[in-house]
Amino acid sequence: MGNLLCKPKCMAVLAIALLFFGLQTASAGVVVIGNRGLGVNSITKAQAANIFLGKMTTWADGTPITVIEHRDGDLAKDQFYNKVVGKTPSQLKAYWAKLVFTGEGVPPKEYAGDNTVKARVAGTPGAIGYVSDDSADRSVKILYEAK
């Protein structure tokens, strides 16, 4: 009988723990990162949005911006576009489809996961990307934090 009473209580505790962990993961922020050689140390939310939408293609000193993008479905990508750009995954697809169709732009090449994005940004002059805030390290500059 003791086991039967413990089951609902144990299940409730487990459910609360999973819910708390899920909320912690979902509320994690993203940071926009840049190559350490960039001549800028920070950017605004609007600048970040313009860069990732292909509206800003060079840094102030004339250096071309290389955008390093996450693959579709990556949590960091969904969070970044929601918090910084204000677009859902389907809105983003429609945006790039229109630009490709009209010949006005090509979406950036996509990479899998924070570690790959961070390594590409670190190794590419003029590069910018974004990762989960707990993935950033000294190999890159943090240019903007979206919490």
Side-chain angles (χ1 to χ4, degrees), residues 26-30 45 78-86 146-147:
S27 68
V30 291
K45 181 178 179 179
D78 293 345
Q79 288 181 334
F80 173 78
Y81 281 96
N82 180 37
K83 292 179 179 183
V84 178
V85 182
K147 296 288 181 178

Side-chain angles (χ1 to χ4, degrees), residues 49-130:
N50 285 334
I51 289 168
F52 283 89
L53 292 175
K55 296 176 181 179
M56 184 175 162
T57 58
T58 59
W59 295 107
D61 66 0
T63 302
I65 297 173
T66 301
V67 175
I68 308 296
E69 180 67 271
H70 276 267
R71 275 196 314 205
D72 288 345
D74 280 1
L75 179 61
K77 183 171 187 171
D78 293 345
Q79 288 181 334
F80 173 78
Y81 281 96
N82 180 37
K83 292 179 179 183
V84 178
V85 182
K87 291 192 181 295
T88 65
S90 60
Q91 290 171 325
L92 184 63
K93 281 183 186 274
Y95 174 83
W96 282 112
K98 178 182 174 188
L99 289 182
V100 169
F101 181 74
T102 60
E104 296 176 25
V106 177
K109 187 172 179 185
E110 297 178 342
Y111 297 89
D114 282 350
N115 289 335
T116 304
V117 168
K118 183 174 55 175
R120 297 292 299 186
V121 169
T124 308
I128 187 171
Y130 55 86

Side-chain angles (χ1 to χ4, degrees), residues 128-139:
I128 187 171
Y130 55 86
V131 294
S132 302
D133 57 4
D134 59 351
S135 293
D137 61 27
R138 296 180 56 90
S139 67

